[in-house]
Each structure stands twice: as structure tokens, then as C-alpha cells.
Amino acid sequence: MALAGVRVIELAGLAPAPFCGMILADFGARVIRVDRTKVTMAMDTLARGKQSVALNLKKPEGVAVLKRLCVQSDVVIEPFRKGVMEKLGLGPDELQQENARLIYARLTGFGQSGLYATSAGHDINYLAMSGLLSMLGRKTEEPYAPLNLVADFAGGGLMCALGIVLALLERSRSGKGQIIDASMVEGAAYVGSFMWKSRSIGMWNRPRGENMLDGGAPYYDTYQTSDGKHMAVGALEPKFYDQLIQGLGLDPANLPPQMSFSDWPELKQIFSRTFASRTQAEWCDVFDGTDACVTPVLPLDEVHSHPHNRERGSFQKDIQGEVSPRPAPVLSRTPATPCLSRDPLIGEHTVSVLEEFGYGAAEVEQLLSSGAVECNKFKARL
Ligand SMILES: C[C@H](CCC[C@@H](C)[C@H]1CC[C@H]2[C@@H]3[C@H](O)C[C@@H]4C[C@H](O)CC[C@]4(C)[C@H]3C[C@H](O)[C@]12C)C(=O)SCCNC(=O)CCNC(=O)[C@H](O)C(C)(C)COP(=O)(O)OP(=O)(O)OC[C@H]1O[C@@H](n2cnc3c(N)ncnc32)[C@H](O)[C@@H]1OP(=O)(O)O
């Protein structure tokens, strides 16, 4: 796989860093997650393919172990507030002094500098500071965050993974590591560059919820069907819009023009009434295979069985029967082969990893007895 041989130390975090680590693991990196000790339940639901070592970084011995792991690794991902790693003596200066090739990824909400750098926050806060949240939500509602998708994952974990891969590529020429300052505010904003750049062509010059792509246009929205499900409509171009009108069985001569903003509310009502007259399956029979840009809105437990997704194998089932998306994108020669076995227990691999990284049995025993590390063996259910 593309990242085979790359060793990553992921310090356990909330959601963005685990997603970054999972992406790297999916594409072949060896990801060792460093968990806290005295924690029984892992909160990392994105742990596939990772190993877990439990270290107490409040103990000098624990800090020394992390240093040794990082000296022999390519990447360290830290998900903490600015300054936490420096307080532990594990900042970039310390770690890159011992390993100049180390790529030190710092995944934060506000970045390593600035007024909010040491403030707590979550996805919605970073999204708000990116400018994008002000554009999200129907005109009759307050701005709302689309789950914790945009800052945590698109602008956070995924952007950080991109930074790591870029730094690995650069290191193949320079031989040197570097620090990645991955701010979720900036990552989310960067993902939203189109919103900035398309203002020049008038894409967003109407109030929130009244533009073409933010719920204003009747031909770019969702509609309820007679069985309480929904269809998604994205018929932007006139040639696709014509097929939408045809599929709905409407006469264009009796409708206002597609681009008549003032008539959009009336058009939306006509579309709503029409979509409400049939079931989702019936509308799929009408629109599947056409260019009307109409698709069913599928709930999570139906996506993997939809003929299109099933044919491509877009979703996978792990050893415990849990369905989740397969890694994307698909590389033709070195595709990701995600681990489908169970997630690691906290500290499950502590002893084996320490031994692999050069600790002798007596040293491991001493670290265990001091509480600097912990090991939880998987107890197979008999
Ligand atoms: C929307 C998402 C949130 C997704 C996560 C949610 C799924 C969960 C978040 C809260 C959970 C609920 C909550 O815990 C309450 C219940 C608990 C119950 O047990 C379960 C049910 C709950 C309802 C539970 C349910 C869910 O699990 C939750 C809802 C996001 O937006 S995630 C993005 C967050 N932001 C960032 O990641 C940006 C960068 N990080 C930060 O800014 C901060 O880390 C953050 C997130 C603000 C947290 O700040 P905090 O003060 O807690 O930590 P830090 O300042 O970073 O310092 C870390 C300290 O930990 C020490 N440390 C680290 N590793 C070790 C170690 N191995 N050994 C010892 N010590 C360690 C480190 O030294 C720091 O110590 P100091 O504070 O002394 O310096």
C-alpha cells in the first residue's frame, strides 16, 4: 500500500486526530495510538488498523518512552491544545532534535498562534470562525453546523493527513522532517475556497438560504415523497433541468423560467406537491438512468445495499458486522486495504511495541510496575 513502511505515533485525541490516523492506517502506515493509562474504554471509534500503547505522560518515564517511540518513527500526530506538548518536554524542538526526519503534525482548532490559540473549542466553533457557518442553514432558521463534518473531518483530520503525506513526499527529497500546523479553522475555510472565489460570479450575493446552492433554488434541494422518504435534486444546468421537468411530468409552458429568482418559491411548491405524489422507489424508477440529477436520500443503513454502491463495494462490513465506508480514493495499483478486525483495547500492544522498540524484559517490567505504562491483554470471550 502507498504508505507501507511509514511509522506513525498518534496521541489519542477526540475525533479529528483519530480520523487522520485511520486514513494513514487504511493506506498502509503503521499507526501506534498512545492512550492514557487508567482508561478502560477507548473513545476512538476510528481505530481500525491501529495498535494501542498506554503511557502515563505525567511520569518522566512515560515521556522517555514516547521520545523513544518518536525517535524511531516518521510521524507524530498531537491533538492537544497549543503548548501542552511543550509542557511535557515533548515539543517539536525536543523531538526533532533527536529525530530530524520526524514529521510533527499539530492538529488544533485555532492553530499554534493567535488570540484563540489556547482556547477550547469544538467543530462548530471552528466552523463559525472559518466564515462558512454563516452560510449554512435555511433562510427561516439560524445557521447550523452540518454534523461535525466540515471542521473536524474535512478541514481537520483529512487536511492534516494531506499535510503529512506532503511532508513525507518532501522529505524523500530533503531528508528532513517539518512541523505541520493544522488549524481546523483554516482547514475548513480552505475546503470552502469555492465559496470565497465564486462570489465574484454572484453565486452568494443573496441572503443565506436564497442562493442557488444553499437551499434557495427549487432545482437544488430535497423533497419528501409519499412514503415519508426524500429525493435529492441537483438539476443545475438547463439540459438536466429539462429532464427533471419531464420526469416530474410537468409542462414547461406552464412553469416560470428556471432562473427566475422571484418565482423560485412558487416552483418549489409545485415540485413539493409533485414529489409528494409518489414513493421514493417510484421516483427512482422514473429518474434512475437519466441526467435529471435526482437521487434517493439514503439513510446510513441502506447505502451499502443500494445497487450502485453494492456494485462498487463502496461500503464494507468488518469482522463484527459493522458497516462503514471503504477508504477513498481507490488507487488502481496500491489500493487501501483497511483492517476489518476488531479495534485495539487500550494498551493492548504496550509490551509488544516496547520490546519491538528496543526495551528489554526487565525494563518493560519496571515501566509496568511504576505505572508509567499499562498493558491490557485481550481476553477472548470463551
Ligand atoms: C464535535 C467533536 C467532539 C467529538 C468527541 C465527542 C464524541 C466527545 C467529546 C466529549 C464527550 C462526552 C463527554 O466526555 C462527557 C460524557 C463522558 C462519558 O464517559 C461518555 C459520554 C459523554 C457524554 C461523552 C460522549 C462523547 O465521547 C463526547 C461528546 C469535536 O469538535 S472534537 C475537536 C476538539 N478540538 C480539538 O481537537 C482541537 C485541539 N484540542 C484541544 O483544543 C483540546 O484538546 C480540547 C479538545 C479543547 C480538550 O481540552 P482539554 O483541556 O481536555 O485537553 P488539552 O488542553 O488538550 O490537554 C490534554 C491534557 O491531557 C494530558 N495528556 C494527554 N495524553 C496523556 C497521557 N497519555 N498521559 C497523561 N496525560 C496525558 C496532557 O498532558 C494535557 O494535560 P494538561 O491539561 O495538564 O496540560
Side-chain angles (χ1 to χ4, degrees):
M1 286 188 277
L3 295 179
V6 174
R7 265 181 175 178
V8 179
I9 304 298
E10 173 198 323
L11 287 151
L14 284 179
F19 182 52
C20 181
M22 185 193 83
I23 293 170
L24 302 178
D26 280 348
F27 285 89
R30 164 98 180 276
V31 179
I32 296 169
R33 189 186 68 208
V34 173
D35 288 298
R36 292 163 172 77
T37 54
K38 297 184 179 52
V39 172
T40 50
M41 189 174 86
M43 302 303 273
D44 177 7
T45 57
L46 302 168
R48 70 175 179 231
K50 300 177 187 176
Q51 292 181 308
S52 169
V53 168
L55 292 186
N56 184 344
L57 296 177
K58 298 299 191 196
K59 288 180 174 288
E61 307 95 314
V63 169
V65 169
L66 186 65
K67 282 186 176 177
R68 191 185 290 196
L69 297 184
C70 291
V71 163
Q72 301 174 60
S73 296
D74 300 289
V75 181
V76 61
I77 304 170
E78 68 102 346
F80 308 129
R81 205 191 298 248
K82 173 187 185 289
V84 164
M85 290 293 273
E86 283 82 352
K87 267 197 303 184
L88 293 169
L90 292 167
D93 294 346
E94 288 89 354
L95 296 189
Q96 289 180 319
Q97 189 170 9
E98 299 193 26
N99 176 3
R101 289 171 52 82
L102 184 67
I103 291 162
Y104 195 111
R106 317 198 78 169
L107 181 42
T108 62
F110 301 109
Q112 294 297 316
S113 60
L115 180 65
Y116 290 169
T118 57
S119 299
H122 283 291
D123 175 278
I124 193 167
N125 305 110
Y126 314 138
L127 189 64
M129 288 294 291
S130 77
L132 292 175
L133 183 55
S134 71
M135 303 176 73
L136 296 169
R138 293 193 183 278
K139 68 176 183 179
T140 55
E141 297 167 353
E142 305 310 318
Y144 76 88
L147 312 177
N148 58 320
L149 269 180
V150 177
D152 270 1
F153 298 117
L158 182 57
M159 200 61 78
C160 190
L162 170 64
I164 289 166
V165 171
L166 292 171
L168 284 167
L169 178 62
E170 192 282 333
R171 190 184 71 173
S172 67
R173 294 191 297 270
S174 68
K176 294 178 185 153
Q178 56 186 308
I179 299 165
I180 297 171
D181 180 1
S183 148
M184 283 183 257
V185 170
E186 293 165 359
Y190 192 48
V191 164
S193 294
F194 174 77
M195 285 71 210
W196 266 266
K197 308 294 275 183
S198 58
R199 287 186 299 177
S200 59
I201 57 172
M203 285 291 289
W204 313 100
N205 55 8
R206 296 164 64 80
R208 174 168 55 83
E210 296 183 32
N211 299 282
M212 186 184 291
L213 303 181
D214 66 357
Y219 49 85
Y220 200 85
D221 208 341
T222 58
Y223 292 92
Q224 192 169 91
T225 55
S226 63
D227 51 351
K229 298 182 178 182
H230 292 86
M231 298 300 283
V233 175
L236 296 174
E237 298 82 345
K239 61 182 179 180
F240 302 149
Y241 179 80
D242 293 345
Q243 293 196 43
L244 167 68
I245 300 304
Q246 185 183 354
L248 290 174
L250 299 171
D251 179 351
N254 300 333
L255 297 176
Q258 176 189 4
M259 293 308 289
S260 168
F261 292 153
S262 59
D263 292 310
W264 278 1
E266 180 198 348
L267 255 178
K268 201 167 265 196
Q269 285 179 359
I270 295 168
F271 289 2
S272 293
R273 283 196 303 274
T274 309
F275 272 109
S277 66
R278 295 187 193 183
T279 66
Q280 186 186 72
E282 288 167 339
W283 285 120
C284 286
D285 290 342
V286 169
F287 288 113
D288 279 3
T290 73
D291 277 348
C293 307
V294 179
T295 50
V297 177
L298 299 173
L300 290 193
D301 59 11
E302 290 179 21
V303 289
H304 71 289
S305 57
H306 185 282
H308 173 76
N309 294 333
R310 190 173 60 239
E311 184 183 333
R312 280 187 55 83
S314 303
F315 296 85
Q316 61 200 11
K317 198 172 277 190
D318 67 17
I319 195 169
Q320 290 158 318
E322 184 183 62
V323 173
S324 64
R326 74 168 171 180
V330 178
L331 276 65
S332 61
R333 189 168 47 77
T334 60
T337 50
C339 169
L340 299 179
S341 55
R342 65 168 177 79
D343 291 348
L345 298 177
I346 299 267
E348 181 175 349
H349 306 94
T350 301
V351 173
S352 59
V353 166
L354 292 186
E355 289 171 347
E356 180 191 343
F357 279 69
Y359 284 89
E363 289 178 293
V364 172
E365 196 42 52
Q366 203 284 321
L367 287 167
L368 286 167
S369 57
S370 72
V373 307
E374 252 175 25
C375 185
N376 300 305
K377 288 315 287 173
F378 176 60
K379 300 174 184 63
R381 268 190 282 278
L382 297 178

